[in-house]
Amino acid sequence: MYRRHTFEERLLIISRLICGESLEAICREGKLDKKMVRQWLLRYEKYGDEGLRGTRPYHYSAVEKLSIVMEVEEKGIPLQEICL
């Protein structure tokens, strides 16, 4: 079952990663998805604390979706990076 994590929980997990604890150990201990925690880390590195506060759902127009696909294909930018 999916569990929503508070800002404080996310910040604590990211702090542990920054202090050198392994991603695998933290995820195993907290029964967390590695991809989710990596995404938190990327958002933290790019936006600081605000990156961990969560996001609101956003619906992309057809033009925006096409632009994203073109960036991925032409520039080779990973989709995860574009999403940030």
Side-chain angles (χ1 to χ4, degrees), residues 4-66:
R4 185 159 174 85
H5 301 277
T6 66
F7 166 74
E8 289 78 15
E9 290 172 323
R10 293 175 189 182
L11 188 58
L12 177 62
I13 290 165
I14 295 304
S15 297
R16 291 174 62 188
L17 284 171
I18 291 171
C19 287
E21 288 188 55
S22 80
L23 175 69
E24 289 77 17
I26 292 170
C27 291
R28 188 173 39 251
E29 176 188 313
K31 297 180 182 170
L32 301 168
D33 179 64
K34 284 189 233 179
K35 289 181 183 180
M36 176 180 67
V37 175
R38 277 192 206 108
Q39 186 66 25
W40 292 348
L41 182 60
L42 288 171
R43 286 179 22 207
Y44 179 80
E45 288 171 346
K46 185 151 185 145
Y47 301 109
D49 288 356
E50 286 304 309
L52 298 178
R53 294 206 182 270
T55 59
R56 294 179 183 244
Y58 181 80
H59 300 283
Y60 295 95
S61 69
V63 172
E64 290 172 312
K65 290 177 183 178
L66 182 60

